[in-house]
Amino acid sequence: MKQINSENLQEKTAEETKSRINMLIDNIRKVIHIETLKLEYIIASKIAGGHVILADTHGVGKTSLARALAGSIDNSKLKSPNMEIEIEPFSRIQCTVDLLPQDIIGFTRIDGKDSKFIFNKGPIFANFVLCDEINLLTPKTQGSFFQAMEEQKVSVEGKTYSLPSPFFIIATMNLEGAHLFPLPAPQLDRFMIQISMGIPCFEDERTIVEQHSRNDGWKSFDTVLKGEELILWQDMVDKVTIHPELVEYIVKAIRATRENPYILQGASPRAGVKLSRLARSLALVRGLNYVTPDIIKELYVPTMSHRIIAKESAGVPENILADIISSIVVAR
């Protein structure tokens, strides 16, 4: 019997994964114009088990992006971790200042007919959750996401419920406006990456106007992946190789944020864990079974920018971080 080389098998699996992910990217781009690079970051965060903040102005397609990503994956055959709770494939939370924690995670009520306690699930019980304008929530309600994002569970009146797998949150955040509440540092630290979709170029904006005035893009839109594939890829992330010298590179880059004179509060050790896992996931998205120094370097700013607090006179945090990562040399 011919022996199969395990390294060649891993390369073949990585290439097959890249091909399937490219199908997902092409499907999403039927209905939303976004840079492929940023879409790779979002998909890699989802595969890595992380969550994403989209910090943007109004009307750039954040909701359409979430709808397209959720609608591209068929989770219908995935089992619910709680037999009594039906899991939705996609839910949207439109954040307002009057929302309470129970509006997010759910509440327990008494059934008048049988005198039994019944749990009314909140919109957090979904494979894909869009939390629109998260910084309109009061700090108390923002706190309802902490356990869900870190442990993939929620606790209601002494009982703990598991959230589904895969579980993914995209939160949109207003950059300016009235009645905004800053997200607390522990919550920001739980987001894997923060990016901006940005304003499209002239040609893309013209296509958006032409396409969405007829709504043609959604007519041929359908699922292209199974939820089981996504779970398989999540398991594959752990098998992507990251060299010990690259681990040292990450640790040095994280610690440098705590020693920089322009930074008031640096990144936590959790930031290094998130960066390492996201780097492995992005390598998988690109058909690699190993992490390169360039992958870590390109992910450093979007994974750190929301985790540090720069001094008021220091300028833009992204520029400070770009200077830090460019000054650190990878051991060869």
Side-chain angles (χ1 to χ4, degrees):
M1 181 180 294
K2 186 177 179 181
Q3 189 173 3
I4 298 175
N5 186 294
S6 60
E7 187 174 336
N8 290 341
L9 182 60
Q10 286 181 356
E11 289 178 0
K12 182 180 178 182
T13 303
E15 282 298 322
E16 289 174 348
T17 302
K18 179 183 177 182
S19 176
R20 295 291 290 161
I21 290 173
N22 284 341
M23 286 180 58
L24 174 61
I25 290 172
D26 291 342
N27 199 53
I28 293 170
R29 285 178 60 85
K30 288 180 183 177
V31 291
I32 183 73
H33 288 267
I34 179 174
E35 291 178 43
T36 299
L37 181 67
K38 293 178 180 179
L39 200 47
E40 283 182 341
Y41 290 172
I42 294 170
I43 293 170
S45 297
K46 184 175 175 64
I47 293 172
H51 309 286
V52 175
I53 299 180
L54 296 179
D56 261 307
T57 56
H58 298 285
V60 295
K62 300 184 296 292
T63 303
S64 294
L65 170 62
R67 178 185 169 193
L69 183 53
S72 296
I73 303 170
D74 180 8
N75 293 313
S76 60
K77 293 185 179 180
L78 297 179
K79 294 181 180 179
S80 170
N82 312 283
M83 298 304 294
E84 73 275 21
I85 300 176
E86 184 179 352
I87 298 298
E88 302 296 331
F90 174 74
S91 70
R92 179 186 179 189
I93 303 169
Q94 180 57 60
C95 300
T96 55
V97 293
D98 58 346
L99 278 187
L100 299 173
Q102 55 262 41
D103 296 320
I104 307 293
I105 62 177
F107 59 92
T108 302
R109 64 179 176 85
I110 298 178
D111 185 354
K113 184 178 180 181
D114 298 324
S115 297
K116 292 182 179 180
F117 286 101
I118 297 176
F119 178 64
N120 279 52
K121 67 175 182 178
I124 198 73
F125 286 89
N127 292 111
F128 191 116
V129 180
L130 169 63
C131 187
D132 222 349
E133 301 178 302
I134 191 171
N135 53 343
L136 284 176
L137 296 176
T138 62
K140 179 179 180 180
T141 307
Q142 286 178 11
S144 63
F145 287 96
F146 279 32
Q147 185 184 14
M149 295 177 69
E150 186 65 21
E151 302 175 22
Q152 211 164 314
K153 296 177 182 178
V154 295
S155 298
V156 181
E157 297 181 13
K159 186 171 181 179
T160 300
Y161 300 90
S162 296
L163 293 170
S165 185
F167 174 66
F168 180 59
I169 294 176
I170 279 188
T172 69
M173 185 168 66
N174 294 331
L175 296 176
E176 57 184 19
H179 309 297
L180 299 181
F181 297 90
L183 271 65
Q187 184 176 8
L188 285 170
D189 205 25
R190 284 166 167 79
F191 283 97
M192 184 163 274
I193 195 168
Q194 175 178 308
I195 60 175
S196 169
M197 291 179 66
I199 301 297
C201 66
F202 180 86
E203 291 300 325
D204 281 349
E205 189 165 357
R206 184 174 66 180
T207 303
I208 289 169
V209 173
E210 290 175 347
Q211 185 182 72
H212 287 268
S213 62
R214 301 189 305 267
N215 206 26
D216 287 350
W218 293 101
K219 289 181 180 178
S220 59
F221 193 82
D222 202 0
T223 59
V224 293
L225 296 178
K226 300 290 184 183
E228 296 88 338
E229 289 181 273
L230 188 61
I231 293 175
L232 175 63
W233 295 340
Q234 288 180 335
D235 293 337
M236 288 172 62
V237 170
D238 292 327
K239 297 179 176 63
V240 175
T241 302
I242 181 166
H243 196 277
E245 290 178 355
L246 292 185
V247 174
E248 288 188 14
Y249 181 44
I250 290 173
V251 173
K252 287 178 182 177
I254 300 301
R255 294 178 67 86
T257 64
R258 304 173 206 148
E259 301 163 359
N260 190 282
Y262 300 108
I263 297 177
L264 196 62
Q265 179 178 305
S268 71
R270 180 192 283 128
V273 176
K274 298 288 188 185
L275 177 54
S276 173
R277 185 160 183 83
L278 183 57
R280 286 173 166 174
S281 184
L282 184 60
L284 185 68
V285 165
R286 293 177 177 173
L288 301 173
N289 54 26
Y290 58 90
V291 176
T292 67
D294 287 341
I295 286 178
I296 294 171
K297 189 171 184 178
E298 73 172 278
L299 288 174
Y300 180 72
V301 173
T303 54
M304 296 302 130
S305 60
H306 60 291
R307 289 185 162 90
I308 67 165
I309 299 176
K311 294 180 180 178
E312 290 186 10
S313 58
V316 181
E318 287 80 359
N319 293 341
I320 300 171
L321 290 167
D323 289 340
I324 289 174
I325 196 64
S326 62
S327 67
I328 299 174
V329 179
V330 186
R332 297 290 181 180

